[in-house]
Amino acid sequence: MEYSPVAQDGRVPDRDAIIDGLARVRQRTLDIVSPLSDAGIRVQHSPIMSPVIWDLGHIAEFEELWLVQRLGEASSESALADAYDAMRTPRSDRGDLDLPDRDATLDRLSRVRERVVARLREVDLAGSGNRLLENGFVYGLVREHEAQHQETVLQTIFLMETDPYAPVRRECPPDSESVSAGQMIRVPAGEFEMGAPEGRFSYDNERPRHTVVTDEYEIGRYPVTNGEYLEFIAAGGYDERAVWSDEGWAWKEEVGLFAPQYWRLKANPESKSSLAAAECTRA
């Protein structure tokens, strides 16, 4: 279950739960970047993306700004150093910055977190009129900000052309429920509440919470796996007009697609439907 920065019944959240939520998102960040080489983490792999070392430094400075310096005090004035200010230093310029190295940046992340945890023990999570600090709202903001940069770093990794990437892999716990690819769940017709509830951090596109009515439908119980998609290719899915929308088919034909981006032909390039014809080059 994902951490929520505010108790759903309106009670002041548990400080240890806030710390745990911040720690779990940080571990995910570290897991993503750990396979990258020292060179790979510093290089700007695309002018539309930042060097990964910039994202890490920005995460640290953003957290220090909101959870140490301001403690939720709203201000329109930027207090980030120019190098880590996304507005003052556009992505196209970040590859030329003289940024701290990997060890120094990771140390900065750790030291900022120590200060955050120490200060959290003292702040008033009831807010005392400060809406950003109230109910731990600003801690949710910082947590989601870091998660957002995880997505940005992953996009950068997919654009790398020189650095091989082998992600951290974990085995499922032995008592976990077995996952069977292709399982579907039938959802009956009816109403449901869409959007984020009040009293917790959420993005503007998650608000307002509202009622939506849907017809009955089926949805996959688990995300589609690479293996399932390879079966789709092998079955001729890229040649089967019936499984594509009009817009999708026109795009596929125009671009000449035979597999997802970052997949490549392994053998027999003339056979677009051969199971051996494609392999996934990214995890």
Side-chain angles (χ1 to χ4, degrees), residues 150-208:
Q150 291 172 1
E151 296 180 1
T152 303
V153 170
L154 288 170
Q155 290 174 324
T156 301
I157 288 170
F158 272 102
L159 292 171
M160 294 189 315
E161 296 182 349
T162 56
D163 229 28
Y165 185 77
V168 175
R169 298 186 182 275
R170 295 187 179 89
E171 297 295 330
C172 291
D175 59 346
S176 64
E177 180 183 0
S178 61
V179 176
S180 177
Q183 289 187 24
M184 303 293 289
I185 295 176
R186 183 175 296 277
V187 180
E191 296 182 353
F192 76 96
E193 295 296 314
M194 175 181 284
E198 295 293 332
R200 58 176 293 182
F201 173 77
S202 59
Y203 291 106
D204 54 359
N205 61 356
E206 299 175 301
R207 302 188 297 267

Side-chain angles (χ1 to χ4, degrees), residues 23-71:
R24 285 191 286 116
V25 78
R26 175 58 48 77
Q27 188 58 55
R28 171 67 171 160
T29 299
L30 298 177
D31 286 346
I32 290 171
V33 303
S34 63
L36 294 171
S37 68
D38 289 344
I41 207 171
R42 295 187 65 85
V43 170
Q44 185 167 21
H45 296 278
S46 167
I48 65 171
M49 306 303 293
S50 308
V52 173
I53 198 72
W54 185 93
D55 285 283
L56 296 177
H58 174 78
I59 289 170
E61 299 309 313
F62 187 91
E63 180 170 323
E64 201 269 348
L65 170 63
W66 287 103
L67 301 187
V68 177
Q69 291 183 26
R70 287 182 176 160
L71 293 177

Side-chain angles (χ1 to χ4, degrees), residues 108-269:
R108 172 67 171 156
L109 282 164
S110 178
R111 287 187 290 108
V112 169
R113 179 56 55 82
E114 289 176 0
R115 295 177 66 191
V116 166
V117 171
R119 195 71 182 94
L120 174 59
R121 301 298 185 187
E122 304 172 359
V123 299
D124 178 12
L125 293 178
S128 299
N130 186 330
R131 294 186 63 189
L132 290 179
L133 189 57
E134 184 177 284
N135 293 325
F137 180 91
V138 73
Y139 293 94
L141 164 68
V142 169
R143 176 185 178 276
E144 293 301 320
H145 172 264
E146 181 164 345
Q148 190 174 36
H149 276 274
Q150 291 172 1
E151 296 180 1
T152 303
V153 170
L154 288 170
Q155 290 174 324
T156 301
I157 288 170
F158 272 102
L159 292 171
M160 294 189 315
E161 296 182 349
T162 56
D163 229 28
Y165 185 77
V168 175
R169 298 186 182 275
R170 295 187 179 89
E171 297 295 330
C172 291
D175 59 346
S176 64
E177 180 183 0
S178 61
V179 176
S180 177
Q183 289 187 24
M184 303 293 289
I185 295 176
R186 183 175 296 277
V187 180
E191 296 182 353
F192 76 96
E193 295 296 314
M194 175 181 284
E198 295 293 332
R200 58 176 293 182
F201 173 77
S202 59
Y203 291 106
D204 54 359
N205 61 356
E206 299 175 301
R207 302 188 297 267
R209 193 172 180 86
H210 58 287
T211 300
V212 176
V213 179
T214 64
D215 296 328
E216 182 181 67
Y217 63 92
E218 285 190 339
I219 189 170
R221 186 172 185 180
Y222 305 104
V224 175
T225 66
N226 282 338
E228 286 181 287
Y229 209 93
L230 195 57
E231 291 179 6
F232 170 77
I233 297 172
Y238 276 80
D239 301 318
E240 181 56 59
R241 176 66 183 83
V243 300
W244 294 79
S245 67
D246 292 341
E247 295 82 3
W249 182 262
W251 169 67
K252 180 195 77 72
E253 291 292 285
E254 179 182 356
V255 179
L257 296 179
F258 58 87
Q261 189 176 17
Y262 306 114
W263 289 44
R264 65 187 180 192
L265 290 178
K266 183 177 181 180
N268 193 11

Side-chain angles (χ1 to χ4, degrees), residues 67-109:
L67 301 187
V68 177
Q69 291 183 26
R70 287 182 176 160
L71 293 177
E73 179 184 351
S75 173
S76 60
E77 178 185 0
S78 174
L80 291 174
D82 284 355
Y84 294 113
D85 190 315
M87 301 301 294
R88 296 180 181 180
T89 306
R91 286 183 176 181
S92 58
D93 296 341
R94 294 173 194 170
D96 298 325
L97 296 172
D98 183 18
L99 299 174
D101 63 19
R102 183 194 203 111
D103 290 342
T105 303
L106 294 179
D107 182 64
R108 172 67 171 156
L109 282 164

